[in-house]
Amino acid sequence: MKRLNPEVTQRIATVCLWAAAGLALSVLAYIIILVLAKGLPVLTPHFLLASPERMGRAGGIFPTIVGSLALTLVALVVATPLGVGTAVYLTEYTQPGRLAAVIRFGVDCLAGVPSIIFGLFGFIFFVIRLGMGWSVLSGGLTLAVMILPTIIRTAEEAIRAVPGSYREASFSAGATSWQTITRVVLPAALPGVVTGIVLAIGRSIGETAAVIFTAGTALRLPTSLFASSRTMAVHFYILAREGLSMPRAYGTAAVLIILILLINTAANALMVRFRARTQ
Amino acid sequence: MRPDPALARDQDLDSPRRDQDLAVPNGGAMAEHKAEMAREPKVRVEGLSVFYGGVQALKSVDLPVHANEILGITGPSGSGKTTLLRMVNRLNDRVRACRHEGRVYLDGREIYDPQEDVILLRRRVGMVFALPTPLPKSIFENVVYAPRIAGMRDRRKLEERAERALRGAILWDEVKDRLDDSALALSGGQQQRLCIARTLAQEPEVVMLDEPCSGLDPISTLKIEQALDSLKATYTIVLVSHNVQQAARATDRTAFLLMGELVEWRPTAEMFTNPRDPRTADFLEGRFG
């Protein structure tokens, strides 16, 4: 068989790669445009700031926005220190060996578990066993368990990517391991760690299955950690599934997407400012 | 300083014998040797062998470093120069496969004694690496890194310390107006002098430099050598260099390492004009390495 001319191969490869990237981006663009096109017409200040009426057929979605943010916040407050701490432990305090391998394998398994299973676990453990009931706390803790692998893995990669010379310079200046980690390694790894946290925010704010069993579906504004709360994603699911109001379902989805975009942009801007200060 | 005078005396008795085995000195040099042995060296390496897994990097090295001298360590790549330095500030503690026999003393105290505080040791024995290792912080924060971790908070004291260290490393005039800029924006030569300043700011007693000029142009090299010469009054300096000319220019005594073995160590001028071991002569004349 005659081999293809390298230039032709190159051209074919270019076209294929362009097509792959183009297809992926156009699917994403289509989703965003569709949701915004259907959702933006209902987006009014009233929709954002009022409570739902008649099960969501009318009124706004304010409690669900608060619910989503509260659940995500609880999840982050719990999962970030745990996840970053685990990553630091795995990279700086363990020698490559069996224990680290076991932990890493466990983390990878956790990352592959479907979110409905986390929901089931959260329901059995937090809601029933620990008696937290359907609440912001139960939902947030369930989400925390769910996003933990993402945070651990990205933080671990980021910490591993910090040049060893930074550590040696720090140690040879008489720093302890802890000083080296807090003053040199973590600041240098921060952009990667934040990327993981942003991914985790995206996952938890849009999560439905894991929270419907744990945070409940109450339409009231949650006023305590022990109050049940409905998130935007769950609200969307219920509106669409029970045919209560498709326009309002899309309106909710639009708010959700815009919120995620805003969080990502803010995190990015924060990182740019941080990097300008240190590098 | 010595926890056990009897122990230290025994070691003093031991060392000259071992030195005789190493290189048989003539009468004049012998007397000089004895005079050297009379005072306790700042750093004393005794029968030090180092292994990385199954590979032996140092073979029973004996070497004193005297206070306020510049000791050059030269030898071809892979001869164990860096390993020797990393043993003196115990940086190799972090390398799991690394294991050693023999002893290293700082002011007569065994630094590998389980009672010794490794953090304190590293503060007393500063190290500058072959490649510049600025931390991703501002110039100022780099220089005051060591005093800060040692607990110094007073802004004025930190500024004083930074200025003195930067002047010592002949970098002050170039950076005094932009101390808050990132250290990563400096040129390679400036970064290396910044690293020297960072080491000086920790106010060590011994400064070890591992090929500090290997990646630098001749002018930066000259500036670093000037800095070293003026530092001799305050510090004990160990300068590793596979660059023979640099060893000749900048050091008082030179030790020649070859494949983990300390071939000889003598006053630099003597070694360069009249090496005792044929292997030293070959290396200095550039027949290998």
Side-chain angles (χ1 to χ4, degrees), chain A residues 24-36:
Chain A
L25 280 179
S26 53
V27 170
L28 186 67
Y30 182 66
I31 293 174
I32 292 177
I33 291 167
L34 184 79
V35 168
L36 291 184

Side-chain angles (χ1 to χ4, degrees), chain B residues 180-235:
Chain B
D180 289 328
D181 286 7
S182 166
L184 302 181
L186 294 173
S187 76
Q190 290 172 327
Q191 287 187 353
Q192 193 59 304
R193 276 178 284 147
L194 178 70
C195 293
I196 294 177
R198 191 174 60 203
T199 303
L200 296 183
Q202 81 192 55
E203 302 199 330
E205 296 159 36
V206 181
V207 178
M208 306 192 296
L209 302 104
D210 184 3
E211 314 247 14
C213 305
S214 58
L216 302 184
D217 61 281
I219 294 177
S220 302
T221 304
L222 187 69
K223 281 192 176 155
I224 287 177
E225 283 174 12
Q226 283 171 348
L228 292 187
D229 206 54
S230 61
L231 295 176
K232 201 166 78 168
T234 329
Y235 306 95

